[in-house]
Amino acid sequence: MIKSMTGYGRARDNVGGRDITVEVRSVNNRYLDCTVKMPRAYIFAEDAIKADVQKAVSRGKVDVFITIDALEADETVVMVNKALAKGYCDAIRSISEELSLEMDLSARELARFPDVLSVTKAETDLEQVSGEIRAVLADALAAYNAMRAVEGEKLADDIRSRLDRIEALTAEVERRSPETVAEYRQKLLERMREVLESTTIDESRILTEAAIFADKVAVDEETVRLRSHLGQLRDMLKSDVPVGRKLDFLIQEVNRESNTIGSKCNDIEIARCVVELKAEVEKIREQVQNIE
């Protein structure tokens, strides 16, 4: 299925106590250019995220925005510095003995001494967190690709309608081309009669001149190649793999054949067909720039 290079997808989920939101958006670009914007604390997942995007997108300027609220996921651990607590206790006992004072020390009071207790965050499992972010990214990419597919089908339908018009114009050129040779032969005959003021004309000379003219204005090869290109374009529009670059190359070939036909013709009707044909080709070229 043809996909557009422009699209947007968003997904949000609460995984492992983390509220994760992922947005994916893209615009046209000749190659794949992926930028990930996320909190620095999770930068370790950037390479895996880019790898996932590369599997889903072949070209375009893709921006991935990730926001993470991890308040619920922050686990704290209370650590006891037993050696320090014992040191405090021994010191107080020593003071009590030397000064004959009563030793009155509870665990609660000891815990209030500097650095006896410390609070730290639990160690984060980086692989697990990376997997959680990528799971939400997968949902965002699915929505993003669904939007691109809808837009791509609209582009494909528009291109198909223009290909039909080009084919009709090609048929008109093929119909009109032999008529121009017959009209040239008749004009040549009338001019020779007028110049020679005689009805006796060398018919073989007329046939020779007409044959030379027919060879100069013949567009059979161009129209055959043109029809072949149109068939290939239609087949590509049915493809399930990215074909944007191939379409761009092939439409250049269609334009080349159109220019050749235009350079050969000296007939007003054919010239009108070529102008309209080239206009359709240019519109297709513009649409192809949006296809992945």
Side-chain angles (χ1 to χ4, degrees):
M1 179 180 294
I2 295 296
K3 290 187 180 73
S4 169
M5 274 195 285
T6 59
Y8 174 81
R10 183 179 187 274
R12 179 180 180 182
D13 197 4
N14 193 300
V15 188
R18 293 178 177 81
D19 187 3
I20 304 173
T21 301
V22 179
E23 292 180 280
V24 181
R25 65 183 63 177
S26 66
V27 294
N28 299 352
N29 199 50
R30 188 172 182 181
Y31 304 104
L32 177 61
D33 180 12
C34 179
T35 302
V36 179
K37 297 181 181 179
M38 61 192 301
R40 290 187 59 84
Y42 300 91
I43 203 71
F44 57 84
E46 182 176 359
D47 289 342
I49 290 169
K50 286 187 175 182
D52 287 347
V53 171
Q54 289 173 356
K55 293 176 183 177
V57 188
S58 65
R59 68 173 183 154
K61 189 179 187 313
V62 184
D63 290 316
V64 181
F65 302 92
I66 301 175
T67 57
I68 302 174
D69 183 355
L71 293 179
E72 296 181 14
D74 289 340
E75 297 181 3
T76 56
V77 178
V78 179
M79 303 293 293
V80 180
N81 191 331
K82 295 180 180 179
L84 182 61
K86 185 177 182 303
Y88 280 131
C89 190
D90 291 344
I92 292 173
R93 183 179 293 110
S94 176
I95 293 173
S96 174
E97 292 174 353
E98 289 183 10
L99 300 179
S100 301
L101 299 174
E102 182 180 353
M103 182 175 177
D104 185 12
L105 180 65
S106 67
R108 178 180 298 180
E109 291 174 334
L110 182 61
R112 293 174 179 173
F113 282 41
D115 300 327
V116 171
L117 299 181
S118 61
V119 180
T120 60
K121 290 185 178 181
E123 187 175 348
T124 303
D125 186 339
L126 301 185
E127 288 295 329
Q128 178 181 343
V129 175
S130 178
E132 293 169 353
I133 297 173
R134 292 171 63 193
V136 182
L137 172 65
D139 293 339
L141 286 173
Y144 163 75
N145 278 328
M147 179 178 178
R148 293 201 302 140
V150 171
E151 183 65 23
E153 189 57 31
K154 292 179 181 178
L155 292 172
D157 288 341
D158 181 72
I159 292 174
R160 289 189 189 99
S161 67
R162 298 189 186 283
L163 292 178
D164 291 340
R165 181 56 184 157
I166 290 176
E167 195 163 36
L169 291 168
T170 302
E172 180 64 20
V173 170
E174 291 173 330
R175 181 196 65 79
R176 178 61 184 161
S177 184
E179 294 179 1
T180 61
V181 177
E183 291 174 1
Y184 175 79
R185 181 179 181 280
Q186 184 61 33
K187 289 180 181 179
L188 183 62
L189 181 61
E190 291 174 358
R191 287 176 183 174
M192 291 186 71
R193 283 175 178 170
E194 181 180 347
V195 172
L196 298 176
E197 296 181 353
S198 171
T199 56
T200 303
I201 304 297
D202 186 352
E203 189 67 24
S204 62
R205 179 64 183 275
I206 296 294
L207 293 175
T208 300
E209 292 293 334
I212 293 173
F213 176 78
D215 185 62
K216 288 175 61 178
V217 300
V219 293
D220 296 358
E221 293 183 8
E222 287 77 13
T223 57
V224 168
R225 285 195 294 268
L226 194 54
R227 289 184 180 278
S228 174
H229 296 333
L230 296 180
Q232 291 180 64
L233 285 168
R234 287 194 176 95
D235 289 340
M236 287 183 184
L237 292 176
K238 300 175 185 176
S239 177
D240 292 329
V241 298
V243 292
R245 292 176 184 171
K246 292 182 179 178
L247 287 170
D248 189 34
F249 171 77
L250 198 53
I251 201 64
Q252 292 181 39
E253 294 301 308
V254 173
N255 188 60
R256 184 176 290 109
E257 301 301 340
S258 303
N259 287 332
T260 303
I261 293 173
S263 65
K264 285 187 174 183
C265 76
N266 62 348
D267 177 75
I268 294 178
E269 289 188 33
I270 294 180
R272 178 188 59 78
C273 289
V274 170
V275 169
E276 189 173 348
L277 192 154
K278 292 179 67 174
E280 294 296 333
V281 170
E282 186 58 32
K283 290 174 183 176
I284 293 177
R285 189 205 298 272
E286 293 175 359
Q287 296 289 49
V288 166
Q289 304 308 311
N290 300 318
I291 293 177
E292 180 183 17

